[in-house]
Each structure stands twice: as C-alpha cells, then as structure tokens.
Amino acid sequence: MEKKILFPQVKGFVHGGDYNPEQWLDRPDILEEDVRLMKKAGINSASVGIFSWSVLEPAEGEFHFEWLEEIIDRLYENGIYTVLATPSGARPAWLDEKYPEAMRVNKMGQREHHGGRHNHCMSSPVYREKVALIDRKLAEKFGSHPGVIMYHISNEFSGECYCEHCIRRFRSYLAEKYDHDIEKLNKAWWTAFWSHRYNNFDQIEPPFIHGETSVMGLNLEWKRFTTWNTNDFMKAERDVLRSVTPHIPVTANLMRMFGGLDYRKMAPDMDVVSWDNYPMFHNDWETLTDTAWETAFQHALMRSLKRDVPFMMMESAPGLVNWQEVNKVKRPGIHRLACVQAVACGSDSVQYFQWRKGRGSYEQFHGAVVDHIGTDDTRIFREVAEVGELLKKMAPAAGTLVKTKAAMLFDWDNRWAIEDMQGLGRKTKKHEETCINIWKEFFRLGVDMDIVGSDENLDRYDLVVAPMLYMLQPGTAQNLKAFVERGGQLLATYLLGYVDADQLCYLGGFPGDGLKDLFGIVSEEIDSLYPADRNGIVVTDERLCAGQEMGCADSGCGGRAESGKVWEVTDYAEVLRVQDARVLGVYASDFYQGTAAMTCKSHGKGNAYYVAARTEASAMRPLFEQMMADAGIPVRKLAEGVECHVRSGEEGVYEFYLNWNKEEMAVSGVKGRDMVTGAEITDTLTLPGYGIAVVNLLSR
C-alpha cells in the first residue's frame, strides 16, 4: 500500500496553525519572539494571511506584500513552512463602500451591512474580480517561494445570499438542471399542489422567509444551489492559483458535519480535505468518551471525503474557544489525546487556532498556544510542545491511510430532505444523532467505519449500514443490490426509500425503486411515538438471542418477552408487510403487536437486514456482531474509553491506542514497538490514565 505523503519537505506530520503577524507589525520584538517560541514548541508550519486583506491591500489597487514576504522568509529560515491563505473570507471596508453588491442580501431581502466575515455574495462579479486579482498577485509573488507548501482558500465557507445576482444564477442553475423545460420542474416539484405551478423560470424565487417555503423541491434545490455556487466560487479561486502555480496543492477548511453545504460535492475540487475540530470536552450531558468518539465520527466523515489521501486537521483549540455556550478549558492530558486522535483517524496535521492571542476584538479570548502572558512556561504551551515531540516520534506513520471494510451511508441532501419533510415528529427526527450513535456502537466492536455517499462505489466494503435513507439517489438501489449480491452485509432502518431525488414519494409501497424486493418487505405505515409511549422489539432469532438475558425492563411488554431479549422502541415504528424475508423480531405491543419489526433476506451471497423501529444502538449490538461475523470482520472489544485506530502504508502498520479514562487500562493481544516510549510490547499494552501508544506492528 503506497504512502500518500502530502508534504515531503516537512518529513513527517504538519504541526502548526493560524498565525496573524499583521496584528503585530508594530511589535517587531514579538514577531522575533514568535519564531523562537514556535521552534521550542515543535511548530513546523504556519497558516498566514487568512484575514489579512485590509493590510495586504489597504486601498483599492494599493498592494503591500513586503511585510508578508519578511514573515515567510523568516519562518522558512527557521525551518517553518507556510500555508498561504487567500483573504476572501473577510473583506476590507473600502471594498464594501465602493462595491456594495459584494455584501449579501439576507432571506428577508435586505442588504446586509459591512462587518463580520462571510458576509459576501458568491455570485457578485465585482467581488469575484477583486478576489481573483489579489489571489493572482499573491501566487505570482509567493508561489515560487520554497517555504510555501499549500494554499488555504478562504475560511470556513458558509451562508447564503438572496441578492439579484444569486437569484439569476439560481434560475439559470434550475433551467440547466431541468433542460430549460419548466414543465419538468413543475412535475418534479409537484407544483400543482396549492396552485404553485410556474409558467417560466423567471417566476422562481429562492425560499425567502416571507415568501415560498412550502415547495419541498424548491427548498432542497436552493440548498443544492448554495453548495454549487459556493463550490463554483472556491473553484474560481483555485483556478487562479493553479494557473500561476499548478504544483502547490490547495485546501479549504471545512466544519465537521456542517448543515449548510454538501461537502461531498466540494471535496473533489480540493487536493486535500481539511477541517476545524472543536469538540465540547467536559460537558455535563455526556461522558468524555462519548465526546471523543463523536469527534472520531467527524474525523471519519472528513477522511471519507477523499479516502485515498490523508486529511488535515486545520484548526483546533489548544485550550478553549470563545464562542461556545460554556467556554471550558481542556483538562490536563486531553489536548494530547485529541491531537493524537486526529492523527490516528487519518490526519497528517495537527494545527491550532490560534498561535498567539490578540489584544482586542472578537477572538481576543479565544485559546492560543501563546497566551497574553507571552511566555513559554504556561500549561498550554508545555502541552503543545509535548505534542510537537510526539509527532516527531510518530513521523514514519505520516502518509499512511486508514483502511476499513465497513461503511455508513450519509448524504447531505437526504439530511436536508428529512429536516424539511412535513411528517414524523417535529423534534425527534434526529437523523445525524442516529447515524453517530450507530457508528459509535460499531466502533465499540472494533470497526472504524468510513462515511460515504449512497451512490458511491462500495466494492471496498463488506459491511454497510444505511440509517434513515429516506431519499434515494439515482442508482442507489442498484448500488445496494450489487453490494448484497456479491456477499455484502447490508443494514437499513425505518424511513428507507420514501422519496426520490426530487422528493417525490414512490408509489406501490416503501421502500421504492426496487428495494422492496431486496429487503423482502413493504412498509405500510410509520407510527410516531410520544415520549410516554412504550413498545419493544421481541427478538425471535436464535442467533441474536444467544447468550442474552430474557425479559425487558420498562418496555411495557407485559411479560410478552419470554421468548427473547426485547429492544426498547422509541420515536418511530413502521408497520411492515413481509413478502419473503425472514422475521428476526416482532413488536411487543400496540395494534401491530406480533408483526415483523426486524427482518433479513438473503440475496445472492449476502444479506439485507431491516430494522423497522428506532431502538438504541447498544441494543442492536447482537445484530451488528452477527453482520460482522458474516462479513468476516473480527470483533474486538476494548474496555470502555479505550480507542483504537489502524493506519497502514507500504512501510508499516500502526495501531493507535488512546485511553480516555483517568484510570490505567490494559489492552491484550498487542505485539510491536511503541513509538512513543520505544518499548517492545509482546502481549499486554498498559495505558496510563489519559495515555496513548502508537504501536508499529512491523517491529515484531
């Protein structure tokens, strides 16, 4: 397996973060001290220029790059490379004053004022022109500098604009999609309902908050358009940079499972995927382990956007942030765990926002490596320096990849469609939460799932889960059928295949598009449960009952669980008509008592499982284990709070172990050399509280 080295110059993992020297140009002593401190902390990269437009171009056409050249030179002379950003994430006041069309119009139709960031119209021709000009000048000035290793395009793309430019582009986008045939759009959007039929594309407006919001197709296409338009803007920046310096890779920093953009549509146009990681550690609604493993899910999502290239953790907080409801400091040892977790999940960088705290404005109290005290003897600085040393020890693992035989299907527009559907419970849809909980339960069994689109090639996987796949993309049904036929183990849940990509309901029963035959069932009804309602799935399959306790506490089953374990049902329960599937479990109560709630149908060499009701992911563990056994994926149960990931490449296989417990934990069956301590492990690995180990398996 070939390594995918992102930056040969670095010779290992990137360690750095956002550096804002333009805020300190009047303090050359601080700029000099920054370099000394960076070297002491093991920093080998700095992201520069992200919000520097007003200093780079203080007035229209007046460019000042000399200060940036001095910074990049100084960094390079001291072994620190530059990730050079384009400054399009926040505009100078002169631009908005002269070209107000660059500012967005909100969903009320009002032009916003200058301020904040991401308050720019992606469609504005003049804004695109000004961005292209400064991008080109930056590339021409610094693209040949040996210290510049990557371009960082803009910053955390987000938001939407309802101005006339965007409306015209939206109409053009729709006309292209529907072959300039308004009747195709009317049919796809079902506009005969409420007499909302359009006569031409010029009648279509975005879903203004005080306008048309009841056409599901309009709402969804606006979200798709926003992604398309944002990506078009990003590509325009990328193309300018590539036209000057095609050898320098580009990235754009994403934001976890962000709901505003379909990252899967944007990732192909980046050389490397990067994201900003800010978990709410030490909260009072979940355990530290739960927070950590939800973060591992987010890493897996980013890793899966470009599965054959390491991703980058572009930002993280070494201590705290300033924008959460409670801005709690990471406790000692947690920063190291969080950084190594990113690497373990496939990142080739550990980067921070920010290097040094500013004295004023919005992020003056956002965490940084160097605090206002300005010294290297703080706890945060010491922990960052420790990470720098760890990354040097782990350097041989850079460029390796996480390879897994299991995947979860997650589509952004399926998520949007579920959010917008007028059905089920208003507050209990919880699509993302359902996906995360199932992912974490497989992770507890030793499975590090990828997270992929429903229309992606599944040939590399032997086990696939599809939670709440309400919307089917063109080709998804055929994709799933082919997967099962070749021996794959597939699990789908309630709400499968209700609508097509235009959000039109399938006729003839759910799931549509031929999936009824794959699963051997038809969903006749879906019941939404109040919080006080009680039901359960009585497991009737002997394989799933083996070794489990009988009965069910607080299930409301009235003793009807004597034949097997009962999985408590909450929120949703589908009433199924079984065609030719095997019944693995039945409902415990209500008018559908005794009817099928869990089924399996063998198809070709594989199996298609269906769970028709919402139940805790932990309850479904026996089903997950059975699927893993049939897929040939071994179960590996570690102690709660102990995390394991595997990265592999042509030179080695590396097992990363993290202990999120205060107490010492032991892991058996480990053989190799711990790259952190240098110790040879022959069977039992002992992890101290909040400890880590990176075991090179080729050293056996």
Side-chain angles (χ1 to χ4, degrees), residues 522-533:
V522 176
S523 172
E524 291 192 2
E525 298 180 84
I526 184 165
D527 191 15
S528 297
L529 279 59
Y530 283 102
D533 289 335

Side-chain angles (χ1 to χ4, degrees), residues 294-557:
E294 190 269 342
T295 305
F297 171 90
Q298 304 291 344
H299 283 308
L301 177 63
M302 295 299 157
R303 174 184 76 221
S304 303
L305 295 176
K306 290 183 91 70
R307 285 169 287 178
D308 296 323
V309 181
F311 69 95
M312 297 176 69
M313 184 170 72
M314 185 61 72
E315 291 183 20
S316 63
L320 47 67
V321 300
N322 73 322
W323 46 264
Q324 292 172 355
E325 186 173 346
V326 176
N327 296 301
K328 197 172 185 67
V329 170
K330 286 180 184 174
R331 269 36 194 170
I334 301 304
H335 176 65
R336 178 181 62 174
L337 276 168
C339 293
V340 176
Q341 182 192 52
V343 173
C345 290
S347 174
D348 266 12
S349 76
V350 171
Q351 294 161 276
Y352 313 113
F353 184 86
Q354 50 191 329
W355 166 252
R356 179 185 287 272
K357 285 184 179 179
R359 292 191 65 192
S361 204
Y362 184 76
E363 291 178 316
Q364 68 189 111
F365 292 111
H366 193 294
V369 179
V370 180
D371 212 319
H372 293 124
I373 194 173
T375 60
D376 58 12
D377 58 356
T378 63
R379 176 179 69 89
I380 299 298
F381 188 94
R382 289 194 300 269
E383 292 192 358
V384 168
E386 181 185 8
V387 169
E389 290 301 313
L390 284 173
L391 292 176
K392 292 176 184 177
K393 294 179 179 179
M394 298 187 296
T400 59
L401 302 171
V402 175
K403 295 291 185 180
T404 178
K405 290 294 186 180
M408 173 176 286
L409 304 188
F410 176 86
D411 294 331
W412 261 267
D413 45 8
N414 177 61
R415 171 193 194 179
W416 294 331
I418 291 173
E419 290 172 351
D420 200 32
M421 73 177 292
Q422 301 305 299
L424 305 181
R426 296 289 183 187
K427 298 181 179 180
T428 57
K429 293 175 182 175
K430 299 179 181 177
H431 172 234
E432 301 96 286
E433 181 180 320
T434 299
C435 291
I436 292 170
N437 287 341
I438 291 175
W439 189 94
K440 289 196 293 188
E441 197 59 38
F442 272 100
F443 189 58
R444 286 185 169 90
L445 297 173
V447 180
D448 196 355
M449 278 184 170
D450 283 344
I451 303 164
V452 302
S454 65
D455 56 351
E456 291 189 54
N457 188 300
L458 302 176
D459 287 349
R460 67 175 73 190
Y461 304 113
D462 296 322
L463 187 154
V464 168
V465 296
M468 301 177 69
L469 194 60
Y470 168 71
M471 170 183 286
L472 299 181
Q473 304 292 337
T476 292
Q478 292 70 29
N479 200 22
L480 296 180
K481 290 175 186 176
F483 170 75
V484 175
E485 283 178 352
R486 71 161 174 81
Q489 305 300 311
L490 172 64
L491 168 64
T493 74
Y494 54 93
L495 211 65
L496 172 68
Y498 279 39
V499 299
D500 64 14
D502 289 314
Q503 293 189 95
L504 293 181
C505 289
Y506 288 104
L507 301 181
F510 306 139
D513 204 14
L515 290 182
K516 293 186 294 295
D517 295 332
L518 178 62
F519 289 91
I521 54 94
V522 176
S523 172
E524 291 192 2
E525 298 180 84
I526 184 165
D527 191 15
S528 297
L529 279 59
Y530 283 102
D533 289 335
R534 292 291 181 270
N535 207 330
I537 299 175
V538 181
V539 181
T540 58
D541 183 80
E542 292 183 359
R543 297 178 306 167
L544 303 184
C545 289
Q548 296 194 54
E549 298 178 0
M550 301 298 186
C552 174
D554 300 322
S555 67
C557 303

Side-chain angles (χ1 to χ4, degrees), residues 121-246:
C121 172
M122 302 288 184
S123 304
S124 165
V126 71
Y127 186 58
R128 288 185 174 223
E129 176 188 330
K130 294 303 176 184
V131 168
L133 176 60
I134 195 166
D135 286 358
R136 180 172 296 279
K137 287 188 173 294
L138 285 168
E140 290 172 345
K141 177 68 175 178
F142 300 108
S144 61
H145 196 294
V148 175
I149 59 173
M150 173 175 258
Y151 290 126
H152 175 315
I153 296 178
S154 195
N155 180 260
E156 294 182 339
F157 283 115
S158 64
E160 53 197 1
C161 177
Y162 294 74
C163 76
E164 286 301 317
H165 289 302
C166 288
I167 292 173
R168 285 195 294 270
R169 283 174 71 86
F170 182 46
R171 289 168 178 164
S172 177
Y173 161 89
L174 293 174
E176 287 292 322
K177 177 163 186 173
Y178 293 101
D179 300 321
H180 297 269
D181 185 345
I182 195 64
E183 292 309 323
K184 282 188 177 181
L185 179 145
N186 281 320
K187 183 177 180 180
W189 290 8
W190 209 251
T191 56
F193 178 75
W194 283 358
S195 196
H196 286 172
R197 181 181 174 277
Y198 297 102
N199 292 326
N200 55 68
F201 288 96
D202 287 340
Q203 292 178 342
I204 299 172
E205 290 186 327
F208 285 104
I209 198 169
H210 53 331
E212 179 62 270
T213 60
S214 60
V215 176
M216 303 299 102
L218 170 64
N219 297 340
L220 182 58
E221 286 301 342
W222 176 250
K223 289 183 178 293
R224 287 171 172 163
F225 164 77
T226 298
T227 292
W228 175 86
N229 202 29
T230 301
N231 197 47
D232 186 66
F233 182 89
M234 183 191 76
K235 288 193 296 181
E237 289 208 65
R238 178 206 64 185
D239 291 348
V240 168
L241 299 171
R242 282 185 176 173
S243 70
V244 181
T245 50

